[in-house]
Amino acid sequence: MSERIYTAGLVVIGDEILSGRTHDKNIAQIASWLQVQGIRLSEVRVVPDVVGRIVEAVNALREGYDYLFTTGGIGPTHDDITVDAVAEALGVPVVIHLEARAMLERYYASIGKELTEARLRMARVPEGADLIPNRMSGAPGIRFGNIHLMAGVPHITAGMLDALTGTLEGGAPLLSETIGCWTPESEVSDILRQVEKAHENCQIGSYPFFREGRVGANFVVRSTDAGQLESCVDSLCDGLGTAGFDFTPGGI
């Protein structure tokens, strides 16, 4: 485990996301998974099913961060063009991965179906790529250097992330604690600023809400250092209490 901060970018691919027909759930689950790996999701781009737009986003984020993840566009239909776009970005041809083909043959045989030409599209990879196992549907994810091509379906993505757990180099996981308070965040902004300034290895995020006719906020303290985190949380609680604000450890 290193003090270096490892970062990742994410490209979410699909017209259905941009149109609002499908609500993305992968950003949150990938971000949470990366935190545990000691990697921070630093940028997300949502792009349509257009090769040029995917190429542009892939090249920008794979060069800007330690890791790049993509979701969507690796299925069997004509508009699943992620593999082609990533291969173009890398300057390599698209080939049938023999192990991926064997995986698909076994999967479809197990459910009594044929490996059609459309389904065989899911064995296509940029030449030189490795596979990310997929227990759900047999169609693997794809790994090429620091790039990871994942499914768009959230529960399939979750399985691919599980297969990658512990395989990526990362730094210290980002730890967090939450303090809730029934007060407008504007009334405690000075306290938040002073406490954060006194703990340079910590960040405090303020997330307001309105419930039951009342205004409140949850304050999330984050740090890679457990001791600094504890000190910052204690200071925040002391500051809120001294100023006469009731607070709830763990959040509201």
Side-chain angles (χ1 to χ4, degrees):
M1 193 167 63
S2 165
E3 292 184 1
R4 169 160 124 61
I5 297 174
Y6 287 76
T7 59
L10 170 62
V11 180
V12 178
I13 299 165
D15 293 338
E16 70 279 5
I17 301 293
L18 290 167
S19 71
R21 289 193 300 271
T22 299
H23 293 185
D24 178 82
K25 297 180 180 179
N26 282 323
I27 295 174
Q29 76 165 342
I30 290 174
S32 297
W33 179 84
L34 285 169
Q35 297 271 26
V36 176
Q37 311 306 307
I39 302 166
R40 300 187 191 178
L41 182 60
S42 298
E43 183 176 353
V44 178
R45 297 192 187 186
V46 184
V47 298
D49 296 313
V50 177
V51 169
R53 296 288 299 278
I54 299 171
V55 169
E56 179 185 7
V58 165
N59 277 333
L61 271 61
R62 74 184 176 96
E63 295 171 1
Y65 302 105
D66 295 298
Y67 300 103
L68 169 63
F69 290 79
T70 73
T71 61
I74 61 172
T77 60
H78 69 284
D79 59 348
D80 287 311
I81 57 174
T82 298
V83 169
D84 302 88
V86 171
E88 182 174 325
L90 295 169
V92 300
V94 174
V95 299
I96 296 292
H97 195 292
L98 297 181
E99 185 181 350
R101 178 176 187 142
M103 288 178 177
L104 290 167
E105 287 174 343
R106 288 194 298 270
Y107 173 75
Y108 284 107
S110 72
I111 60 174
K113 293 187 177 181
E114 180 185 355
L115 180 59
T116 62
E117 285 299 315
R119 291 167 178 158
L120 186 58
R121 283 178 56 83
M122 294 184 287
R124 298 165 73 250
V125 303
E127 187 174 42
D130 297 316
L131 304 179
I132 302 171
N134 168 18
R135 298 190 304 272
M136 301 295 178
S137 67
I142 301 165
R143 183 174 183 171
F144 191 110
N146 70 335
I147 304 174
H148 302 78
L149 279 59
M150 320 285 284
V153 180
H155 75 272
I156 297 179
T157 303
M160 292 180 177
L161 291 173
D162 184 61
L164 285 173
T165 296
T167 67
L168 305 184
E169 184 177 6
L174 192 63
L175 309 173
S176 68
E177 294 285 349
T178 303
I179 305 297
C181 193
W182 286 105
T183 184
E185 60 179 348
S186 60
E187 295 187 11
V188 295
S189 59
D190 287 342
I191 296 173
L192 300 177
R193 182 169 56 253
Q194 291 166 7
V195 171
E196 185 177 72
K197 185 176 180 180
H199 297 81
E200 62 179 18
N201 293 322
C202 297
Q203 297 174 325
I204 302 176
S206 179
Y207 304 95
F209 58 79
F210 183 80
R211 300 177 195 162
E212 304 168 5
R214 303 170 66 192
V215 174
N218 282 310
F219 311 121
V220 180
V221 184
R222 301 182 176 92
S223 178
T224 58
D225 185 300
Q228 284 284 321
L229 179 68
E230 182 179 2
S231 174
C232 188
V233 169
D234 288 345
S235 295
L236 178 56
C237 291
D238 287 345
L240 291 171
T242 299
F245 296 103
D246 292 329
F247 58 87
T248 303
I252 298 172

